[in-house]
Structure formats: C-alpha cells, structure tokens
C-alpha cells in the first residue's frame, strides 16, 4: 500500500517541469509531490464546454497549462473565466501526459493582495527546504532508542510518509531496532511493539514484511523473530 | 512618465531608479506599482516587452519586502530554479 504525500506544496512552474516521474509519483529532487500551489499571471484563457484551459505564467519557465473542469449542472457562479492579465493562485494536481506537464486545478483564485505573491515566493523556498531536510534527518536515525527518541521520530514526515533510501520512516525505525538487537535469536515483534509506542502492530508487521522481502532482515527461530542482514 | 509616453522611470524596493523604454507609446495612464517584463539594454535601461499594473485596491503592495524576498530566492537557486 503506497502512502501518498499528504502535503500540498507551493512550487514554481520550473520546479514542476523539472519534476521526475516514477510510476504514479512525481518527485522534485526527492521531495514527493502531488498536490501543489502555483501563483502566476493568466496569459491565455480558453473556454470549452466541459473545462477551461488557462496558461499561467510565473516567469520561472514557459506558461503552464492549467485545466479547470466545469460542472455543467451548475449555473454560472463558479465558472466565470478569469481574464488574461490577472494574477491568480492555483491549487491542483500535477499531471503528465505524453511527457507534457499540466495541472488539474481544484481551485483558481484571482489574487486580491499582491503581497500574497511575495509570501508565495518565500513559502516555496521554505517548504522545499524543510521537506528536504526531513528526508535527510530521517536517514540519520540514532543508534540507541529511548522513548524520547521515538517520540521525536514520530514528529517527522507526517507519520512516516516520506521515503528515504527506499524506506519509509516507519520501516527505518523498525530496521534500526532490529539491527541493534544484540540477542542471537534476534528481535521479536513483541519487543518491537514495546519499543515503538507510536506504531500499531499491523504497521510493524507490514514494515517487517517489507524489510524481509527486500532482504534487510531474516526470520530466525520463528516468524516473530528477526535479525538484520547488515548486523555487525 | 516622459511626455512622449515611450519612457517611464520606476523606483524599486531599495529606492533605486531605472528607465523603462517602450516600443509603442503608452496608451493608458499608469500609476502605482507596475511589474515590467523586459530585457536589460547596454545603457542599463529596460526594453519593455510587457507590463502589468498591480492591484492595490484592497491592500497596498509592500515593495521593500518583495525586494527582500527576491534577494532570498536568488540565494537559494536549488529551491527556486528559473
């Protein structure tokens, strides 16, 4: 079960165009993105029966296609076309079709206060910086866990949704506990549950199954005990 | 704004001035905060390609803070590519 990014991340068009796609996910330099906000000026607006296609320009790259679906049952109201020359804030999903990126907007709002634009610029730098830092920190897990250590780990990455080295924060925590277990028969699931207060047994079991299938750990005396393949 | 309507002078968030040249004279009155997209010439003026007047009817635009924000994004090209 893939854990989707829960965040909505402010971005520049140039970042969206540079984002790499792996299967269903987009990444901007390791930061996973799905829902984004951009701010720019409408250069072009084309109304079709079921949708409005805008080209929004934030000056970091060529204008980006933004599609807004129109609810044909609704009378007027929501479906007023934003005129070209207006600065807007767009919130939507990043899509890629035949290598061309576009956004499907769930909200397009003209900017009333241009200071929001300044804020957006800073939020982009801030959000990407923090999201990347979270990824870095998750990988430097402390070797000995105290319950305070676990509490801190739980705070990062919105509950382990950010993958690091192919492992989520949950999986990393489980792996590190197993790695550091000195006992010959390895770490038991019960012991993992005791040490990882934030995690449910099913989350721990899922992590153990994943790690085992990837070859990071192997079962010892029974299916409830595991040792790490990397152990010293 | 120059009488011919083909030149105007802007001052930025730090109080520095620059001259903006247009290929066609201005057809409307402009005032307040204007965003100009253009090329820098050898005479250190800007050849304007397009311009947009910022809405200030609801709240004034803080040009100094915008200037600071620009400096920050230039410091972090990895987070703000362009």
């Amino acid at each position: 079960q893939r854990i989707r990014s829960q965040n909505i991340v402010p971005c520049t068009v140039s970042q969206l165009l540079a984002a790499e796609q792996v299967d269903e996910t987009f990444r901007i330099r390791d930061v996973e993105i799905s829902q984004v906000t951009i701010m720019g000026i409408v250069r072009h607006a084309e109304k079709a029966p079921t949708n409005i296609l805008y080209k929004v320009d934030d000056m970091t790259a060529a204008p980006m296609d933004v599609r807004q679906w129109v609810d044909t049952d609704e009378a007027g109201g929501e479906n007023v076309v934003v005129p070209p020359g207006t600065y807007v804030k767009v919130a939507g999903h990043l899509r890629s079709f035949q290598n061309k990126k576009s956004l499907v907007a769930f909200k397009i709002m003209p900017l009333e206060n241009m200071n929001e634009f300044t804020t957006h610029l800073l939020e982009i730098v801030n959000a990407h910086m923090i999201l990347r830092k979270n990824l870095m920190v998750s990988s430097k897990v402390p070797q000995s866990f105290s319950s305070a250590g676990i509490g801190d780990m739980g705070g990062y990455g919105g509950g382990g949704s950010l993958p690091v080295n192919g492992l989520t924060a949950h999986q990393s925590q489980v792996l590190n506990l197993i790695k550091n277990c000195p006992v010959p028969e390895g770490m038991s699931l019960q012991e993992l549950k005791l040490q990882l207060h934030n995690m449910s047994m099913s989350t721990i079991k899922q992590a153990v199954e994943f790690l085992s299938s990837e070859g990071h750990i192997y079962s010892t005396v029974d299916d409830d005990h595991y040792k790490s393949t990397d152990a010293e | 704004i120059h009488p011919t309507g083909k030149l105007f002078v802007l001052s930025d968030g730090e109080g520095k001035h620059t001259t903006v040249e247009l290929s066609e004279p201005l057809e409307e009155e402009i005032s307040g905060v204007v965003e100009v997209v253009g090329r820098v010439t050898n005479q250190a003026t800007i050849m304007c390609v397009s311009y947009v007047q910022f809405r200030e009817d609801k709240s004034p635009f803080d040009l100094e803070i915008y200037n600071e924000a620009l400096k920050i994004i230039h410091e972090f090209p990895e987070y703000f590519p362009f």
Side-chain angles (χ1 to χ4, degrees):
Chain A
Q1 270 289 11
R2 284 242 53 217
I3 303 172
R4 298 226 83 117
S5 168
Q6 302 288 336
N7 312 309
I8 179 164
V9 185
C11 295
T12 64
V13 171
S14 53
Q15 282 172 330
L16 296 180
L17 294 179
E20 288 156 12
Q21 185 177 13
V22 177
D23 296 329
E24 297 297 311
T25 344
F26 293 99
R27 260 180 235 268
I28 298 176
R29 311 170 104 236
D30 299 330
V31 174
E32 197 181 305
I33 54 158
S34 162
Q35 299 185 77
V36 297
T37 62
I38 63 168
M39 248 189 236
I41 189 168
V42 175
R43 293 286 184 209
H44 189 73
E46 208 174 285
K47 195 168 168 51
T50 54
N51 66 81
I52 308 175
L53 178 61
Y54 292 103
K55 292 204 189 283
V56 177
D57 186 356
D58 72 349
M59 321 287 188
T60 63
M64 168 161 271
D65 282 351
V66 175
R67 205 171 285 273
Q68 185 180 33
W69 294 103
V70 160
D71 193 340
T72 45
D73 292 337
E74 260 177 63
E78 299 263 342
N79 309 322
V80 177
V81 176
V82 176
T86 319
Y87 263 97
V88 291
K89 176 173 187 167
V90 178
H93 282 100
L94 183 59
R95 293 268 179 270
S96 184
F97 183 63
Q98 297 177 341
N99 247 349
K100 187 168 156 67
K101 297 237 175 48
S102 65
L103 281 185
V104 172
F106 44 81
K107 189 87 185 173
I108 297 186
M109 275 174 15
L111 285 186
E112 309 235 305
N113 182 348
M114 283 310 298
N115 292 311
E116 277 191 60
F117 190 74
T118 309
T119 315
H120 181 72
L121 299 182
L122 297 171
E123 277 177 352
I124 290 174
V125 176
N126 194 44
H128 287 265
M129 207 185 289
I130 290 188
L131 288 172
R132 283 207 78 207
K133 231 197 296 176
N134 282 353
L135 289 180
M136 300 307 170
V137 176
S138 299
S139 65
K140 295 194 192 107
V141 173
Q143 288 302 84
S144 62
F145 279 107
S146 60
S147 54
I150 305 292
D152 286 343
M153 283 307 298
Y156 283 121
S161 60
L162 294 174
V164 177
N165 307 327
L167 294 182
T168 65
H170 286 152
Q171 289 159 356
S172 291
Q173 285 172 49
V174 169
L175 180 59
N176 279 291
L177 276 179
I178 294 177
K179 261 197 217 179
N180 293 310
C181 177
V183 183
E185 64 266 21
M187 186 75 138
S188 71
L189 289 181
Q190 280 65 37
E191 186 61 20
L192 282 172
K193 179 78 176 78
L194 276 179
Q195 300 243 15
L196 296 167
H197 314 138
N198 300 358
M199 273 194 235
S200 67
M201 194 43 140
S202 65
T203 311
I204 296 177
K205 279 195 180 161
Q206 274 174 32
V208 164
E209 264 165 42
F210 176 84
L211 292 169
S212 169
S213 65
E214 294 286 298
H216 295 294
I217 59 177
Y218 59 95
S219 59
T220 56
V221 291
D222 60 25
D223 283 349
D224 285 339
H225 287 79
Y226 290 86
K227 272 181 87 73
S228 163
T229 48
D230 295 347
E232 283 119 51
Chain B
I1 304 184
H2 195 267
T4 62
K6 282 190 83 178
L7 273 186
F8 53 90
V9 177
L10 292 180
S11 72
D12 74 357
E14 285 181 332
K16 304 239 176 67
H17 299 290
T18 189
T19 308
V20 178
E21 288 179 49
L22 303 160
S23 44
E24 297 292 323
L26 277 176
E27 303 197 352
E28 52 173 2
E29 293 249 340
I30 57 173
S31 64
V33 177
V34 174
E35 181 179 47
V36 171
V37 179
R39 282 196 171 290
V40 180
T41 66
N42 329 13
Q43 295 99 50
T45 65
I46 301 181
M47 260 323 276
C48 175
V49 171
S50 71
Y51 68 89
V52 165
Q53 261 191 265
F54 274 13
R55 282 180 72 160
E56 288 190 277
D57 50 336
K58 300 265 167 89
S59 11
F61 183 62
D62 189 333
L63 201 52
E64 281 102 36
I65 284 204
Y66 177 71
N67 211 57
E68 292 298 313
L70 284 187
K71 291 195 203 158
I72 291 182
I73 64 183
H74 276 90
E75 259 179 67
F76 294 99
E78 66 268 29
Y79 298 115
F80 202 95
F82 54 89

